[in-house]
Amino acid sequence: MKVLIEYPKKGKDTVKVSVNWMDLMDMDKTIARLLYPLFKKYRATYNKNKPIGKFPLSMAEGICEPYAMSDADEAACLEKWLSILDKIVYTFKALADNKIGWDGPQHADMIKECIKLKRTDHAKKRIKLARLREITEEETNPGKSAYRSYEMEEKIEICRPIYDAYQPLFDEHKKRVQEGLDLFAKHFGSFWY
């Protein structure tokens, strides 16, 4: 994907977007890769001594009246806005990064543990028996396509305790990612300064 947006001093903006088929294969990842640097830079504008941006007036909801803010109210509204931006940045970073993705950073650790477990003698014997069962079934039913892989099912069963142990971590990560996506949609018209 190539994106060029030019903002001339006078006249019309120029927008050129070139999309190829690879951008469409994982379009969610393509969008996340485009948005993550934007939100990262946008959030960074608030890290300076004199931030460029303010916050949307909707941040006053539940804190104070939007047009009657004290300094403490403004600080609370800004803190609320920064928290929202941090959640959105986390979401798009996770979705843009192949090592994190939807399952979270612990996914790689789970895969390593499964590989290690499948290399044990006991697991190797179970996998071999499943493979033999598959071969026997193919020989007794020549020409009939197999609808199941006993070997794959056995590998899944061997790793099930590991999957189950990691599932709460994956669920928590997915919840955080979804929260960031929901906040992005809710505040879509608020990303300005």
Side-chain angles (χ1 to χ4, degrees):
M1 172 179 276
K2 292 181 183 178
V3 177
L4 173 67
I5 302 173
E6 293 177 336
Y7 304 101
K9 293 184 181 185
K10 294 180 182 178
K12 196 174 180 181
D13 293 347
T14 303
V15 179
K16 295 179 183 177
V17 180
S18 172
V19 179
N20 68 40
W21 70 273
M22 287 295 290
D23 299 322
L24 304 176
M25 294 297 288
D26 280 331
M27 200 161 90
D28 57 339
K29 186 168 290 301
T30 301
I31 293 168
R33 287 179 174 171
L34 181 65
L35 292 178
Y36 172 60
L38 286 170
F39 277 105
K40 185 178 173 185
K41 187 161 187 141
Y42 183 76
R43 174 58 178 91
T45 64
Y46 289 94
N47 292 339
K48 301 174 184 172
N49 290 338
K50 291 184 178 181
I52 295 174
K54 284 278 191 179
F55 51 84
L57 288 179
S58 61
M59 294 301 107
E61 186 178 307
I63 296 174
C64 65
E65 287 298 318
Y67 298 103
M69 285 189 199
S70 66
D71 289 344
D73 292 337
E74 275 197 38
C77 290
L78 180 60
E79 193 60 36
K80 184 177 174 183
W81 180 235
L82 295 180
S83 174
I84 288 169
L85 291 177
D86 288 340
K87 290 173 183 178
I88 293 171
V89 168
Y90 174 87
T91 291
F92 287 115
K93 178 181 181 187
L95 296 176
D97 189 338
N98 287 330
K99 295 178 184 171
I100 301 174
W102 280 102
D103 284 333
Q106 297 87 1
H107 187 262
D109 296 335
M110 184 207 63
I111 297 295
K112 287 177 189 173
E113 285 186 42
C114 281
I115 290 169
K116 186 178 176 181
L117 183 60
K118 287 187 284 188
R119 289 184 179 157
T120 63
D121 289 336
H122 179 67
K124 284 181 183 179
K125 287 177 188 174
R126 287 176 61 182
I127 292 167
K128 185 176 181 179
L129 287 172
R131 194 175 304 127
L132 289 173
R133 183 177 175 195
E134 241 174 71
I135 291 168
T136 304
E137 194 169 295
E138 286 174 10
E139 288 173 354
T140 57
N141 300 309
K144 185 177 178 186
S145 60
Y147 289 106
R148 63 192 295 179
S149 169
Y150 295 111
E151 181 181 355
M152 183 58 70
E153 289 174 8
E154 195 62 39
K155 288 177 180 179
I156 290 169
E157 279 306 309
I158 289 167
C159 289
R160 184 162 313 282
I162 296 170
Y163 297 146
D164 292 345
Y166 276 90
Q167 195 59 50
L169 298 171
F170 297 159
D171 291 344
E172 182 60 33
H173 173 74
K174 288 175 186 175
K175 185 178 171 184
R176 283 183 71 189
V177 168
Q178 188 60 52
E179 180 184 19
L181 289 172
D182 293 343
L183 289 168
F184 169 68
K186 181 179 179 180
H187 298 286
F188 187 78
S190 300
F191 305 115
W192 47 261
Y193 63 80

